[in-house]
């Protein structure tokens, strides 16, 4: 087949799949609104999983629930007409505690369901296959990290993800993060009657914060250290026997985060030494930064352009468990506007947009780009090869924050 004939064939497949997506729009909107109206926090997304699974089954996908030992993790797979690469659509559906769907995860769950169903209509004419990954607890639970560690992404060749936002972009980097919990233990005593008999755990927390504040002047501009006191003592008239704090350490560079974690922990050990308290440190799951894949971003950019959207590179000041996946599988994450300019995620305005026309329209635009990109990858082995080469060549991540 000549190049132009294969090009014409790919265009024809895209045209038919996008037509199918238009027909699926009412179903996708309804699903997005239902998930928005029933927010479920990380690892408790039972209703969302049930609705998404039912829709994917109806559209011909084999759904596996309870993936990687996580009750609300799913995979849904469909194969094409012949052997070939597997393209993954990486969806989320968890809400924010107390706030609801203010991060647009309802738009990911529903839009990617529709994208998967739309590609399915032309899949018999393509090699390879599509797998929809329903990944739980993105907001701090690290669902993808657990799924990755437990082999849920084995056999996946390329991963496609989009995220809600107010911009038109593809991610070239994000902050890696390590959350650390510190617990200091001392000895209680009457704070007025015999304070000299006490060992003050709160002093250790305060000294740790002061140590970190001094350290902050000497860290790279892309690094962030931020935290809260989670236990400041038990009563005013008792020398605090117990005090605790939590810190987040972030940077664009995974290695640098690990180095800073060592220095922050040294501040806490020094504070324990100074106050005579004992210290327990516990580290949360390490969230990697994004490994950028230029070849993959190029395909997404072309498809967005064909729909009239000009995507620009963007380094995100947030962190995501998608970062860990990008280190293991070539991945792209992009955004078409789902909320008005200037609206940040995790706000009441983002919450409203997630159920408004701007959110639902953005979701369908994101899904269109996903459909076209999946078809490009399945139809053209040379594109997958190029993506693989970029992945092996190394890390192209952004080095400064926008
Ligand atoms: Zn979020």
């Amino acid at each position: 087949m000549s190049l132009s004939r294969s090009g014409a064939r790919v265009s024809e497949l895209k045209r038919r799949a996008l037509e199918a997506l238009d027909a699926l729009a009412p179903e996708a909107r309804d699903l997005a609104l239902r998930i928005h109206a029933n927010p479920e926090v990380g690892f408790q997304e039972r209703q969302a999983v049930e609705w998404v699974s039912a829709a994917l089954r109806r559209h011909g996908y084999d759904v596996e629930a309870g993936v990687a030992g996580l009750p609300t993790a799913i995979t849904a797979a469909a194969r094409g007409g012949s052997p070939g690469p597997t393209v993954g659509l990486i969806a989320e559906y968890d809400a924010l505690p107390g706030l609801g769907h203010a991060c647009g995860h309802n738009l990911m769950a529903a839009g990617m369901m529709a994208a998967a169903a739309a590609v399915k209509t032309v899949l018999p004419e393509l090699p390879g296959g599509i797998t929809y990954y329903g990944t739980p607890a993105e907001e701090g639970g690290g669902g993808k990290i657990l799924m990755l560690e437990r082999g849920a992404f084995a056999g996946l060749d390329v991963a496609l993800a989009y995220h809600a936002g107010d911009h038109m972009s593809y991610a070239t980097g994000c902050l890696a993060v390590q959350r650390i919990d510190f617990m200091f233990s001392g000895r209680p005593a009457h704070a007025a009657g015999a304070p000299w008999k006490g060992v003050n755990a709160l002093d250790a927390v305060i000294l740790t914060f002061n140590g970190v504040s001094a350290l902050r002047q000497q860290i790279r501009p892309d690094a962030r250290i931020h935290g809260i006191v989670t236990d400041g003592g038990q009563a005013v008239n008792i020398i605090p026997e117990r005090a605790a704090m939590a810190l987040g350490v972030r940077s664009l560079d995974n290695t640098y985060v690990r180095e800073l974690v060592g220095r922050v922990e040294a501040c806490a050990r020094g504070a324990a030494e100074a106050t005579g308290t004992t210290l327990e440190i516990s580290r949360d799951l390490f969230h990697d930064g994004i490994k950028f894949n230029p070849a993959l971003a190029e395909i997404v950019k072309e498809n967005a352009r064909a729909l009239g959207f000009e995507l620009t590179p963007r380094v995100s000041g947030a962190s995501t468990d998608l970062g860990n996946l990008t280190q293991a599988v070539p991945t792209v994450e992009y955004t078409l506007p789902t909320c008005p300019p200037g609206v940040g995620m995790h706000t009441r305005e983002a919450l409203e947009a997630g159920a408004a026309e701007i959110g639902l329209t953005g979701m369908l635009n994101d899904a269109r780009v996903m459909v076209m990109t999946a078809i490009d990858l399945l139809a053209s082995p040379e594109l997958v090869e190029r993506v693989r080469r970029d992945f092996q060549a190394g890390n192209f991540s952004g080095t400064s924050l926008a």
Side-chain angles (χ1 to χ4, degrees):
M1 197 187 295
S2 76
L3 254 183
S4 61
R5 270 191 60 202
S6 84
R9 187 177 153 265
V10 172
S11 300
E12 173 61 12
L13 289 170
K14 285 183 182 175
R15 191 191 59 75
R16 281 165 45 209
L18 289 178
E19 229 174 72
L21 184 67
D22 286 341
L24 286 154
E27 189 186 342
R29 285 166 172 266
D30 174 66
L31 180 60
L33 290 173
R34 258 189 297 156
I35 296 174
H36 191 276
N38 292 277
E40 300 165 299
V41 297
F43 296 123
Q44 293 170 39
E45 311 94 328
R46 290 181 198 91
Q47 193 66 78
V49 161
E50 204 180 300
W51 290 332
V52 167
S53 300
L56 287 164
R57 272 196 199 100
R58 207 163 46 240
H59 293 293
Y61 277 79
D62 290 322
V63 180
E64 198 190 323
V67 169
L70 303 171
T72 56
I74 61 164
T75 56
R79 300 305 300 176
S82 53
T86 298
V87 174
L89 315 187
I90 313 299
E92 297 163 7
Y93 27 55
D94 61 317
L96 290 156
L99 197 52
H101 275 291
C103 203
H105 295 184
N106 63 315
L107 303 174
M108 301 168 80
M112 287 181 208
M113 179 286 291
V119 178
K120 178 71 173 71
T121 61
V122 296
L123 201 52
E125 298 161 59
L126 288 163
I130 296 285
T131 302
Y132 177 107
Y133 289 85
T135 69
E138 189 274 337
E139 301 288 356
K144 290 179 202 64
I145 304 173
L146 298 170
M147 288 174 76
L148 189 63
E149 283 174 0
R150 298 170 189 178
F153 296 102
L156 179 60
D157 294 282
V158 182
L160 309 181
Y162 65 76
H163 198 284
D166 69 335
H167 39 87
M168 284 184 231
S169 68
Y170 54 91
T172 57
C174 79
L175 296 179
V177 64
Q178 175 70 69
R179 187 195 143 126
I180 318 166
D181 280 274
F182 301 91
M183 224 260 278
F184 295 93
S185 302
R187 190 170 55 238
H190 196 290
W196 54 87
K197 290 188 177 165
V199 174
N200 193 327
L202 179 59
D203 281 348
V205 162
I206 292 167
L207 286 178
T208 304
F209 267 98
N210 288 337
V212 168
S213 293
L215 169 64
R216 208 176 267 118
Q217 193 192 349
Q218 265 67 51
I219 65 178
R220 277 172 23 182
D222 65 298
R224 302 281 185 272
I225 308 176
H226 47 90
I228 57 168
V229 175
T230 50
D231 183 355
Q234 292 67 54
V236 176
N237 59 358
I238 307 172
I239 297 295
E241 178 182 16
R242 222 178 36 253
M245 56 181 285
L247 290 178
V249 180
R250 307 192 197 217
S251 157
L252 291 170
D253 177 349
N254 292 340
T255 315
Y256 190 54
V257 172
R258 293 197 165 92
E259 183 189 323
L260 282 180
V261 165
R263 296 178 73 183
V264 161
E265 289 181 354
C267 292
R269 279 196 302 274
E273 174 75 17
T275 53
T277 50
T278 57
L279 169 62
E280 260 174 74
I281 297 178
S282 59
R283 293 183 189 172
D284 204 354
L285 292 170
F286 189 92
H287 285 54
D288 284 321
I290 280 179
K291 178 171 175 177
F292 174 54
N293 191 295
L296 195 47
E298 202 47 50
I299 305 168
V300 166
K301 230 167 106 176
E302 283 300 317
N303 286 322
R305 187 173 290 147
L307 298 175
F309 300 105
E310 205 55 51
L311 302 188
T312 53
R314 182 171 185 270
V315 176
S316 167
S319 306
T320 170
D321 60 3
L322 189 71
N324 297 55
L325 183 63
T326 69
Q327 306 287 338
V329 177
T331 303
V332 66
E333 187 192 44
Y334 61 93
T335 295
L336 293 173
T338 57
C339 53
V343 169
M345 293 294 102
H346 299 201
T347 62
R348 299 228 175 267
E349 291 77 12
L351 174 70
E352 270 168 41
E357 189 50 41
I358 189 169
L360 298 170
T361 304
M363 166 185 82
L364 292 167
N365 286 329
D366 274 319
R368 285 186 183 98
V369 172
M370 190 162 268
V371 164
M372 294 162 86
T373 304
I375 290 174
D376 276 331
L377 290 164
L378 293 179
S380 316
E382 71 276 9
L383 288 182
V384 176
E385 205 35 59
R386 215 177 291 165
V387 167
R388 229 174 247 148
R389 273 204 303 273
D390 269 6
F391 183 77
Q392 281 155 4
N395 203 331
F396 301 88
S397 291
T399 50
S400 66
L401 281 172

